[in-house]
Amino acid sequence: VQLQASGGGPVQAGGSLRLSCVASGNIVSINDMGWYQQAPGKQRELVATITRSGTPIYADSVKGRFTISRDNGKNTVYLQMNSLKSEDTGVYSCNAEVRTVRGFTGTDLYWGQGTLVTVSS
């Protein structure tokens, strides 16, 4: 299973970006999917997660500005980032809880390689 994140880049404060993360490979189904941010010099932190049925959870710092969504048919999770701030700068990685064996409910956690978001003020 591979996860490919894209959509990062440079943006001015107040601007918007949309990140995408596509999962491919031996996938039966995907449970939770999520986005994490690693800011320069800091540990990776949760930005948002979404369940298979579409229930989101957001970090307090992004509530009202970011929206996570997914397309189960495309094994893809999105992160719409609006009103970007300089503190949103960092590498954004996606993950997914993937079921790879039919008839077995267990999942494994996979990570994408990350996409860099740079917000300038």
Side-chain angles (χ1 to χ4, degrees), residues 84-101:
L84 282 160
K85 305 175 181 179
S86 57
E87 51 263 44
D88 295 321
T89 293
V91 175
Y92 284 74
S93 301
C94 56
N95 71 3
E97 296 179 350
V98 182
R99 186 163 69 97
T100 59
V101 178

Side-chain angles (χ1 to χ4, degrees), residues 62-102:
V62 306
K63 286 180 179 177
R65 299 189 299 122
F66 291 8
T67 301
I68 189 170
S69 60
R70 64 189 286 173
D71 184 331
N72 292 332
K74 296 181 179 179
N75 292 330
T76 301
V77 62
Y78 306 97
L79 185 68
Q80 178 66 43
M81 310 166 69
N82 298 331
S83 303
L84 282 160
K85 305 175 181 179
S86 57
E87 51 263 44
D88 295 321
T89 293
V91 175
Y92 284 74
S93 301
C94 56
N95 71 3
E97 296 179 350
V98 182
R99 186 163 69 97
T100 59
V101 178
R102 292 189 182 278

Side-chain angles (χ1 to χ4, degrees), residues 15-85:
S16 298
L17 282 176
R18 189 192 194 208
L19 307 184
S20 300
C21 175
V22 182
S24 62
N26 182 31
I27 298 170
V28 173
S29 63
I30 302 176
N31 291 354
D32 290 4
M33 304 183 81
W35 287 99
Y36 290 74
Q37 176 204 19
Q38 185 163 19
K42 296 186 177 181
Q43 292 189 338
R44 185 166 56 190
E45 295 182 342
L46 169 71
V47 175
T49 63
I50 187 168
T51 65
R52 181 169 179 80
S53 60
T55 301
I57 295 176
Y58 296 99
D60 288 343
S61 60
V62 306
K63 286 180 179 177
R65 299 189 299 122
F66 291 8
T67 301
I68 189 170
S69 60
R70 64 189 286 173
D71 184 331
N72 292 332
K74 296 181 179 179
N75 292 330
T76 301
V77 62
Y78 306 97
L79 185 68
Q80 178 66 43
M81 310 166 69
N82 298 331
S83 303
L84 282 160
K85 305 175 181 179

